[in-house]
Amino acid sequence: MFTSVLMIEKALTTADVEFVTTLHGEETVSFHVLLQPRGDQADRLLRALDDVALGELDEAAREGETPEGDEALAPGRQALDVSLRALHAAGSEADGRLIEAHPLDALKALVAETGADEVIVLTDPHYVEEFFHRDWASRARHKVGVPVLKLFSHSKD
């Protein structure tokens, strides 16, 4: 069985589930999902800049309305539950947990704990962070000791 750690920031869409569950053809995959709810106010500026870079000015203006910190935990838990149910429905083994702080430390620990074969980082584009190699995938490549695949979510919702 192939073991993947799947790092996400929102609920998986049907297209996302189909994509990650078919990456290895017919081989059985076990997923260990990490979801980090929205970060703190410092992340808000980067998200707004990404929205502007994508031409989504309305989204940039609404960044202040998005729950963050403790307020993001309940929606984060719900997104994780939805994602795990979708992976199970697709026939994959899956478990998961929320990350409240230090996502790369949690990722490294989970890779070691599970003996993962790979890490898949599935997020919306984060152009500013990617440009400076500060996105999860770029930073994880230097930390986890297994291949890291960066994929973009198929939709915003």
Side-chain angles (χ1 to χ4, degrees):
M1 179 177 297
F2 200 83
T3 304
S4 293
V5 173
L6 179 58
M7 197 165 186
I8 60 176
E9 60 188 1
K10 64 179 184 180
L12 296 173
T13 65
T14 303
D16 293 334
V17 170
E18 182 178 346
F19 193 42
V20 298
T21 58
T22 59
L23 279 174
H24 298 288
E26 298 299 316
E27 188 167 0
T28 306
V29 179
S30 172
F31 291 97
H32 300 278
V33 182
L34 293 176
L35 184 141
Q36 182 176 33
R38 289 287 200 157
D40 57 26
Q41 190 170 0
D43 295 335
R44 188 180 302 162
L45 175 60
L46 291 176
R47 291 193 309 264
L49 289 171
D50 284 336
D51 290 337
V52 170
L54 291 168
E56 297 173 354
L57 300 178
D58 291 343
E59 289 292 322
R62 287 194 299 267
E63 279 299 334
E65 300 168 10
T66 304
E68 296 178 341
D70 289 340
E71 293 176 3
L73 291 178
R77 169 56 61 197
Q78 182 179 12
L80 179 60
D81 291 343
V82 165
S83 299
L84 293 175
R85 282 194 305 270
L87 288 167
H88 289 147
S92 294
E93 291 183 19
D95 61 41
R97 58 182 89 155
L98 289 180
I99 311 168
E100 293 185 43
H102 310 293
L104 294 175
D105 292 339
L107 177 63
K108 182 179 180 182
L110 185 58
V111 167
E113 172 188 325
T114 61
D117 298 299
E118 70 179 355
V119 169
I120 300 171
V121 177
L122 181 71
T123 65
D124 288 331
H126 297 290
Y127 295 116
V128 175
E129 291 177 5
E130 289 166 18
F131 180 78
F132 292 107
H133 303 285
R134 300 301 303 155
D135 60 299
W136 285 343
S138 296
R139 292 167 46 204
R141 286 186 180 107
H142 303 287
K143 194 164 191 140
V144 297
V146 297
V148 176
L149 180 61
K150 168 72 174 168
L151 302 174
F152 292 121
S153 302
H154 282 80
S155 85
K156 284 268 195 199
D157 298 315

